[in-house]
Each structure stands twice: as C-alpha cells, then as structure tokens.
Amino acid sequence: MRSTVAPQTGAQSCLEQGVQAGEEAGRQASGRAGLQVGRQQCALAGHWPAPPGSSFLGESCVNPEEWMRSLLIGPSEVALRGNVWGPRAGSPRMSLRDRYTRDNNVLSLEQRQFYEENGYLVIKNLVSDADIKCFRNEFERICKGEVKPEQMMIMRDVTIEKSEYAPSERTVSKVQSFQEDEELFRYCTLPEVLKYVECFTGPNIMAMHTMLINKPPDSGKKTSRHPLHQDLHYFPFRPSNDIVCAWTAMEHVDRNNGCLCVLPGTHKGYLKPHGYPKWEGGVNIMFHGIQDYDENSPRVHLVMEKGDTVFFHPLLIHGSGWNRTQGYRKVISCHFASADCHYIDVKGTSQEITEREVVGVGNKIYGIPKDTSLKDVFRFRGRLVKGERTNL
C-alpha cells in the first residue's frame, strides 16, 4: 500500500488550529458545523485545500475534510498520529448516512450495507425496454451521420479505426459527451435513475460524464477489453463519495460479450496511478489501467439483463473483458456528482495524463485552446439534472 506523505508543516499547524476550532463549535452545535468552522480556520491561514504534493488517506491531493468526514463522527475524534491524520483508537464510526450512502428511504438497509461494503449495487429492470429502444435508435442515427450533436466525441476501436466500413454501428465503439443530444441525454434525467442517484449524491445532482459504449466483436487482438481502472482518475472534482456512476445494460451482458468486472471493496482505498497497459494487440486511446493492484483480489463478473443498472463508486476498481461473440454489446452510462462538489487542479498528479489527452483530442477535433484545463472541460460539459447548481 502507498505510504502517506506528511502535509507541510504550515498546513499541519493550520489543520491543528482548524480541529481545535472545530471541537469548540462541535460542543456548541454539531460535529458537521464544527468541521465547517475548522475548514474556514484553515482557509484563513492560507492552507486550504492541502498544499501541492501533500496526500491524505482516501484521496490523492485533496483536502482532509473529505477523509475526516468519511471516517469520523466529528473533529473532536481526530488526532494527529505521526505523519497520518487518523481517528483515535476506539473512535466510533460515522453512521451509514455519512459514509457512502444517504438515508432517504429509497435503499433498504440491506442494499445500503451492500454498497457500503462492496462499492456497487445492481438494481434489476430499472430502465424500460421502450427507453432502451429509443436510445438504441438514436445511437444508430449518430453512427450513420443522420444527427451530429455538438461536442460529442465519436470513438472507434484501434483495430477498425482505419477500415473502409461505411458509417454504421460496426465502426463506432463509443459515443462520449452526449449532453447536447436531447434523446440520449434523456437517460440522465430519468426519474427512476435519479431516484437512486440521489442516494449517493444528495438532492443537487449534476450529470458530468456521459457514454454509450458499443463494445465490438473482438478482432482477435483483445483490444475490445478495458483494463482495470478507477473512474476517479478521469475526473477533476471531489469528494469521491459524492460521485456515482449509473451503468445500464441495453441487452444481456455476460463474460462472453465483455460484462463489467469489479473488485468488491476497493472503493475504500485511494486513487492509484494509471497508465497504458503493455498489450500486444494495442490499446484504445484513454483506456488507462492501474499499474499496481493485487492480482489475487476477488473479482465479480456482473451478469446483467436489459434494463438492469449498476451504481458504483468512482474509486471501485473495475474493467471489462473482450467480446468473444459476433454481436455488439451496448450499455449507456452517466457519472453523476453532487453539485456541492469542488474542482481540483490535476497538474503535478497522476491525473495529468488525462488532462493532456482530453485537451489534446478536444483541440484536434473542436479547436479548444491547448492551455484549457481539465476542470474547464467539465465545467462546460456538466449539466444540472436535479436540484440547484450550487458549485460545479
């Protein structure tokens, strides 16, 4: 496991002051109010968020409030132990409401406990056949060039990118950023989907990243597989516990056509370094994978039927296998985040490769300036789907 880097001395002193202020407010009001006071105290001292290069458990280069909030009842339970901010021995955990799920009477206790422990949850038959048919028809129109939504990225498998196929679903492996396509974006506003999303993000909900994946039959080079990765690697906003992906099967998916494979419980870890795997057959652009993980970790292959939807945490390690069939495996997905999340600068972190490639593609296709930041890209892409746009 990665060692934890100590914060700079100034920040450390500031945080101690913040905790002390938080303890006093906590005695007068609540742990949450106290934590906010502590945050304000750190901001006044000029050390909020954490200085570049510092690292806290549970996140890479983010503020300690997220880590403390995810583990502890309040700042009065926080102690500085050597180089690591952590709970005092015997400190009680927070309630489920303040970890990975929220108490809004949608999820059963069993469902909440499952997500808390595993980092994902499958809801059967959530999206109707009629809606999926509409999404499929719109995808086919996009592939044929009948509609051309602005800012949408159309991607092809590395093995067929230079083929002479006529425009059709056979040449498109993914459409990404479909926020300007009214029909596809309707998926992100479905009440039956948002009802569950709110269990993880709260009532103010932003749709931040959209995809319809059309995994093609593998050419024999296994390029249709996706390496194990964490979605947070692609996102310049935090905290991770207020982000969730909804991933809906548009047909039966299993190991034969490349279903989702997850490593249960890995959402409790931290963001790991990513890079391109060294695969002989080639790797599709931005198919980054984790460089170090326990190959003996238990894996679960999610066999799903049309309309089934899995919700999962952005730190959950997951991937998908290659498509051994002659059909095209389709899913539609959206990453949602609380509008209360905040942006971070990814420069100097392991996510810098994401910024470089996303901006590079955007510059090549749409002419966006080369000095555009990843957070600027997501500010432009993000769409409010419920509640109030408070921050993102």
Side-chain angles (χ1 to χ4, degrees), residues 132-199:
I132 289 176
K133 183 178 180 180
C134 291
F135 302 147
R136 180 184 290 271
N137 290 341
E138 183 70 0
F139 174 72
E140 291 176 356
R141 293 180 65 209
I142 292 170
C143 293
K144 293 175 182 178
E146 296 176 2
V147 290
K148 299 179 180 179
E150 293 184 4
Q151 305 302 322
M152 177 180 286
M153 185 182 299
I154 297 177
M155 305 178 72
R156 294 173 173 82
D157 188 86
V158 66
T159 61
I160 62 175
E161 185 175 6
K162 298 180 180 179
S163 69
E164 297 180 357
Y165 288 152
S168 72
E169 73 166 1
R170 298 176 63 190
T171 62
V172 178
S173 59
K174 181 193 297 184
V175 294
Q176 190 164 286
S177 303
F178 55 67
Q179 66 274 0
E180 297 299 329
D181 185 283
E182 183 177 351
E183 183 57 46
L184 289 185
F185 192 73
R186 192 168 58 81
Y187 168 77
C188 305
T189 66
L190 291 175
E192 58 268 36
V193 172
L194 293 181
K195 178 178 73 172
Y196 285 96
V197 170
E198 189 171 346
C199 300

Side-chain angles (χ1 to χ4, degrees), residues 8-187:
Q8 296 177 5
T9 303
Q12 194 174 75
S13 174
C14 160
L15 289 170
E16 289 177 288
Q17 296 171 20
V19 169
Q20 292 171 3
E23 287 180 334
E24 180 61 29
R27 284 190 289 267
Q28 298 177 11
S30 67
R32 184 174 297 277
L35 190 55
Q36 181 63 24
V37 170
R39 173 175 178 170
Q40 293 169 351
Q41 180 74 14
C42 289
L44 291 173
H47 290 295
W48 193 273
S54 64
S55 181
F56 293 87
L57 290 176
E59 292 286 358
S60 173
C61 296
V62 298
N63 64 62
E65 175 190 9
E66 163 59 12
W67 181 70
M68 289 192 290
R69 185 175 66 135
S70 70
L71 291 178
L72 310 172
I73 283 181
S76 61
E77 295 297 334
V78 177
L80 184 62
R81 301 187 308 176
N83 291 333
V84 179
W85 282 90
R88 291 192 179 102
S91 298
R93 295 286 188 175
M94 290 187 93
S95 66
L96 291 179
R97 176 172 52 193
D98 292 317
R99 293 290 310 272
Y100 304 112
T101 60
R102 300 177 185 234
D103 186 9
N104 60 4
N105 298 319
V106 173
L107 298 180
S108 68
L109 178 60
E110 291 76 17
Q111 287 174 322
R112 292 182 68 190
Q113 289 176 333
F114 186 90
Y115 188 91
E116 293 285 328
E117 183 62 29
N118 296 284
Y120 71 95
L121 180 68
V122 177
I123 304 298
K124 306 293 288 184
N125 197 30
L126 183 63
V127 179
S128 71
D129 288 354
D131 281 329
I132 289 176
K133 183 178 180 180
C134 291
F135 302 147
R136 180 184 290 271
N137 290 341
E138 183 70 0
F139 174 72
E140 291 176 356
R141 293 180 65 209
I142 292 170
C143 293
K144 293 175 182 178
E146 296 176 2
V147 290
K148 299 179 180 179
E150 293 184 4
Q151 305 302 322
M152 177 180 286
M153 185 182 299
I154 297 177
M155 305 178 72
R156 294 173 173 82
D157 188 86
V158 66
T159 61
I160 62 175
E161 185 175 6
K162 298 180 180 179
S163 69
E164 297 180 357
Y165 288 152
S168 72
E169 73 166 1
R170 298 176 63 190
T171 62
V172 178
S173 59
K174 181 193 297 184
V175 294
Q176 190 164 286
S177 303
F178 55 67
Q179 66 274 0
E180 297 299 329
D181 185 283
E182 183 177 351
E183 183 57 46
L184 289 185
F185 192 73
R186 192 168 58 81
Y187 168 77

Side-chain angles (χ1 to χ4, degrees), residues 314-327:
L315 282 173
L316 181 74
I317 298 176
H318 67 286
S320 64
W322 51 295
N323 185 356
R324 299 176 175 87
T325 72
Q326 294 305 305

Side-chain angles (χ1 to χ4, degrees), residues 125 166 236 316 327 329 353 380:
N125 197 30
L316 181 74
R329 187 224 69 184
I353 182 177
F380 179 77

Side-chain angles (χ1 to χ4, degrees), residues 132 136 139 169-170 172-175 211-218 223-227 229 247-261 287 301-306 310 312 318-333:
I132 289 176
R136 180 184 290 271
F139 174 72
E169 73 166 1
R170 298 176 63 190
V172 178
S173 59
K174 181 193 297 184
V175 294
M211 296 186 296
L212 193 155
I213 304 167
N214 184 47
K215 187 187 284 284
D218 199 89
T223 55
S224 64
R225 58 184 167 167
H226 199 300
H229 64 284
W247 194 95
T248 299
M250 297 176 66
E251 55 205 305
H252 173 83
V253 295
D254 58 26
R255 296 188 69 171
N256 288 325
N257 61 5
C259 67
L260 209 61
C261 172
F287 273 35
H301 294 85
L302 302 182
V303 177
M304 299 167 64
E305 301 299 331
K306 181 168 64 173
V310 58
F312 60 92
H318 67 286
S320 64
W322 51 295
N323 185 356
R324 299 176 175 87
T325 72
Q326 294 305 305
Y328 290 76
R329 187 224 69 184
K330 292 180 177 62
V331 301
I332 188 169
S333 74

